[in-house]
Amino acid sequence: MILLMLGAQGTGKGTVAGILSQKTGWPQISTGDIFRKNISEKTELGIEANKYIAAGNLVPDEITVPMVKARLQEADAKEGAILDGFPRTIAQAEKLDEILAESNRKVDLVINLTTPRDEIITRILNRRVCSNQDCKATYNLTMHPSKVEGICDKCGAKLVQREDDSNRESIERRLAIYDEKTKPLVDYYSAKGIVTNQEVSERINRLGKDVAEDVYKMIV
Ligand code: ADP
Ligand code: ZN
């Protein structure tokens, strides 16, 4: 089964995808994580992608699409996969449909996370991530702090703030790109009748783990 996470930055896509991945055994395929791993390992792909990422722009499809295609062909994604951060545009969504059709697959369920914009900005500014690229656990200074400040609970590595999370300009820019390019995907998949809208908000005391529980019940 192919699951797809939609929702603006900071809504908790990574958290929900991570929990669902653990429960189902299907890999979480996060384009942002793959890019960051390549950047930290200074691969050719990483150096090229970082030119766009550091500025808060999307990485061109010529780089992104083949990378996702190759990942979906790996053995661990045979039974299912949870896409997180791809597709980000209608053009990518159409490419994804083509890629999946080649192996008689399709997107089965789209989980659209919604969070009020004021909460989103605070969540992103308070986000801290594990610097160990093989762990990449995420924390939040107020909502989900690590047990020891600045240290990952899972692997003991240092927690850091993502460069593109550290200034309002880059955050606002990414959110604007989301509204313009990615939000239309909600309609694209709604027309196929496969979207579940899930609110994540402190105001209603509903966090990523609650959404993951509810979505898991929908797919088993
Ligand atoms: P966020 O959703 O917080 O912006 P991600 O971890 O999903 O962060 O992605 C980080 C950066 O990687 C994005 O700002 C973008 O530059 C690039 N990126 C990730 N996924 C894609 C994609 N599907 N297409 C193009 N660029 C992408
Ligand atoms: Zn860690």
Side-chain angles (χ1 to χ4, degrees), residues 7-143:
Q9 290 79 0
T11 53
K13 292 190 295 289
T15 304
V16 174
I19 298 172
L20 287 172
S21 171
Q22 279 189 343
K23 283 176 169 287
T24 57
W26 305 330
Q28 169 186 3
I29 301 180
S30 158
T31 39
D33 285 345
I34 301 174
F35 284 135
R36 279 185 289 276
K37 189 165 193 323
N38 276 277
I39 291 168
S40 77
E41 289 168 359
K42 298 195 169 60
T43 67
E44 213 174 299
L45 186 145
I47 291 165
E48 189 55 29
N50 198 35
K51 294 180 190 160
Y52 303 90
I53 294 175
N57 289 316
L58 291 181
V59 178
D61 285 358
E62 300 82 80
I63 301 175
T64 309
V65 173
M67 182 179 91
V68 173
K69 181 173 180 175
R71 183 65 189 86
L72 279 167
Q73 284 166 347
E74 282 179 41
D76 66 339
K78 240 189 151 113
E79 295 296 316
I82 302 157
L83 286 167
D84 164 18
F86 184 93
R88 288 275 249 262
T89 60
I90 297 279
Q92 288 186 357
E94 289 169 352
K95 285 271 166 43
L96 176 64
D97 287 342
E98 283 171 34
I99 292 168
L100 292 173
E102 286 169 18
S103 51
N104 292 315
R105 294 188 286 181
K106 59 177 171 46
V107 176
D108 294 287
L109 183 66
V110 175
I111 302 144
N112 180 39
L113 303 183
T114 59
T115 302
R117 193 57 52 114
D118 59 322
E119 275 188 45
I120 283 185
I121 307 248
T122 319
R123 285 173 68 128
I124 298 175
L125 285 167
N126 287 336
R127 173 156 71 185
R128 294 294 180 273
V129 295
C130 179
S131 56
N132 170 2
Q133 297 296 326
D134 294 317
C135 171
K136 52 187 203 208
T138 33
Y139 299 85
N140 185 290
L141 292 181
T142 55
M143 281 173 356

Side-chain angles (χ1 to χ4, degrees), residues 4 6 86-87 89-90 92-94 96-97 107 110 184-195:
L4 200 153
L6 275 188
F86 184 93
T89 60
I90 297 279
Q92 288 186 357
E94 289 169 352
L96 176 64
D97 287 342
V107 176
V110 175
L185 291 179
V186 178
D187 289 335
Y188 179 87
Y189 290 114
S190 291
K192 299 177 192 279
I194 53 173
V195 174

